[in-house]
Structure formats: C-alpha cells, structure tokens
Amino acid sequence: MNPRKISFFVVVFIVFLGLHSFVLAQEASCPIPRPVLRRENVQRQNPCVRFLQQSLNTLISSGLTVNGFFDFTTEDAVVDYQQLNNLSVDGIVGPETWEAINRELAG
C-alpha cells in the first residue's frame, strides 16, 4: 500500500476516534435511564439532546448542529434513524429508540 493511502486511513481513524470520544463525553452528561425526548417538550438546551444529536451525526451522518435544542431538524433526523432501523416512526426518542442508539454506539 502506498504511503498516501496509509496516511489517509490514519487520518480517517483519528477522526473516528475523536468523534467517538466526543460522543462518550456527551453521553456522560445524559443520565440513565435516558429521558423521553420530543420536540414539544424540549424548549431549552438539554445535555441529552446534545448527546442525541452527536449520536445521530455519528450513526447516520445527519449533519445536525450539536446545540442541545430539539428542533425540527433534530426531529427529522430522529425520524430518518427510526426508519433506517425499522423502529416505530414517530420522531420521539423513547426507550425503543434509545436502546437502538445505545446498542449501535456500543458496536
């Protein structure tokens, strides 16, 4: 393998580790059991929404701004995640969706 390809894979791996570390840091600020999250109930910044947003960015490359607000864009990403994982599609992050996210993050 040529040195450029090796360098590329090293950079990709380092970025992956950085994102994984960031997700773990966000996870520490969101208590277990995870709360049910829905757009109507989260009007201010919430550490669990930040963890959710970063998780969705990592798992489905949703491109969310990690700001802790459960806005329409976050709700749309939740719906996308639920559809991709054959979950009940309602845009609400309840026990079933949290379980799927946690399982997939644990890899």
Side-chain angles (χ1 to χ4, degrees), residues 51-65:
F51 172 59
L52 170 68
Q53 290 166 330
Q54 186 58 52
S55 298
L56 293 172
N57 285 343
T58 299
L59 297 173
I60 63 169
S61 302
S62 57
L64 293 170
T65 300

Side-chain angles (χ1 to χ4, degrees), residues 23 27 34 37 48 51-60 77-78 81-82 85 87 92-107:
V23 169
E27 181 178 18
R34 308 261 191 249
L37 299 175
C48 291
F51 172 59
L52 170 68
Q53 290 166 330
Q54 186 58 52
S55 298
L56 293 172
N57 285 343
T58 299
L59 297 173
I60 63 169
V78 169
Y81 181 81
Q82 290 170 331
N85 289 277
L87 303 172
I92 297 169
V93 186
E96 179 185 35
T97 303
W98 276 126
E99 182 180 331
I101 289 170
N102 292 333
R103 183 176 51 249
E104 197 170 349
L105 286 175

Side-chain angles (χ1 to χ4, degrees), residues 1-54:
M1 189 177 279
N2 84 36
R4 281 188 153 171
K5 285 186 178 179
I6 292 172
S7 296
F8 173 77
F9 288 117
V10 168
V11 168
V12 168
F13 183 70
I14 290 170
V15 168
F16 172 77
L17 286 178
L19 286 174
H20 188 69
S21 298
F22 184 78
V23 169
L24 291 176
Q26 295 298 321
E27 181 178 18
S29 64
C30 183
I32 296 176
R34 308 261 191 249
V36 173
L37 299 175
R38 67 181 83 211
R39 188 176 39 79
E40 302 87 28
N41 291 352
V42 183
Q43 300 300 319
R44 55 183 167 43
Q45 285 187 320
N46 182 309
C48 291
V49 174
R50 290 179 65 82
F51 172 59
L52 170 68
Q53 290 166 330
Q54 186 58 52

